[in-house]
Amino acid sequence: MDFTFSALYENSGQNELFNKYREMMLNSEKFVFIVPEYNGSFPGVLKAFIDGLQFPDTFKDKKTALVGVSSGIQGAGLALSHLTDIFNYCGTHVLAAKPKLMHIESNMKEGKLSSLYQDLLEQQAEEFVKF
Ligand SMILES: Cc1cc2nc3c(=O)[nH]c(=O)nc-3n(C[C@H](O)[C@H](O)[C@H](O)COP(=O)(O)O)c2cc1C
């Protein structure tokens, strides 16, 4: 939980707990990011996480799928666009299908998604397997 102070910049590679995530990301070919909307974009701590990963090998020619989540009506659409630019800069290809799950509180009851959102995620998963 303290990685922004102990795993970035001159401390890169020195936080053993964070290194597990660095290794996991480095050794994976495909990622899925579930991204909440924070003040019209994605959470700053997610950017700090990305900044703490090994560059460029973590990202080069990798593939990622993005899912947006928000309380309001945007479904983190802008957040996903911002994040797409960053992943593309880093060399990661982003699946075009990016479900935007707006009004998440009224579409998730007792841990279960509405059937529409469930369908959108299943379609995305099918496309991501082929991607
Ligand atoms: C700091 C903060 C900023 C937020 N900003 C927005 C926003 O701009 N638009 C929106 O629709 N929801 C916003 N929300 C609501 C979150 O998108 C929503 O609660 C989401 O489910 C949070 O996911 P989390 O619990 O994984 O952080 C914000 C929540 C927080 C904590």
Side-chain angles (χ1 to χ4, degrees), residues 5 7 9 22 36 39 44 57 61 68 80 82 90 97 126 129-130:
F5 295 93
Y9 314 123
R22 272 169 67 103
N39 291 323
D57 296 349
D61 290 327
L80 301 188
H82 299 161
C90 292
E126 280 171 22
V129 168
K130 289 184 269 169

Side-chain angles (χ1 to χ4, degrees), residues 3-4 7-8 17-26 31-33 42-54 58-59 87:
F3 80 92
T4 55
L8 303 183
L17 288 172
F18 191 77
N19 285 347
K20 288 186 186 157
Y21 293 101
R22 272 169 67 103
E23 287 296 308
M24 215 184 283
M25 293 293 289
L26 184 64
F31 315 121
V32 179
F33 282 84
F42 59 85
V45 72
L46 173 57
K47 182 60 163 55
F49 175 75
I50 292 168
D51 293 345
L53 301 175
Q54 195 176 309
T58 303
F59 307 100
F87 279 126

Side-chain angles (χ1 to χ4, degrees), residues 33-100:
F33 282 84
I34 314 291
V35 184
E37 180 173 319
Y38 278 16
N39 291 323
S41 188
F42 59 85
V45 72
L46 173 57
K47 182 60 163 55
F49 175 75
I50 292 168
D51 293 345
L53 301 175
Q54 195 176 309
F55 181 91
D57 296 349
T58 303
F59 307 100
K60 190 98 185 74
D61 290 327
K62 302 283 187 75
K63 292 171 182 170
T64 192
L66 305 178
V67 178
V69 173
S70 76
S71 297
I73 59 166
Q74 294 200 102
L78 279 171
L80 301 188
S81 292
H82 299 161
L83 203 49
T84 297
D85 279 344
I86 290 165
F87 279 126
N88 286 170
Y89 171 84
C90 292
T92 296
H93 306 283
V94 178
L95 184 73
K98 295 180 256 189
K100 295 155 194 82

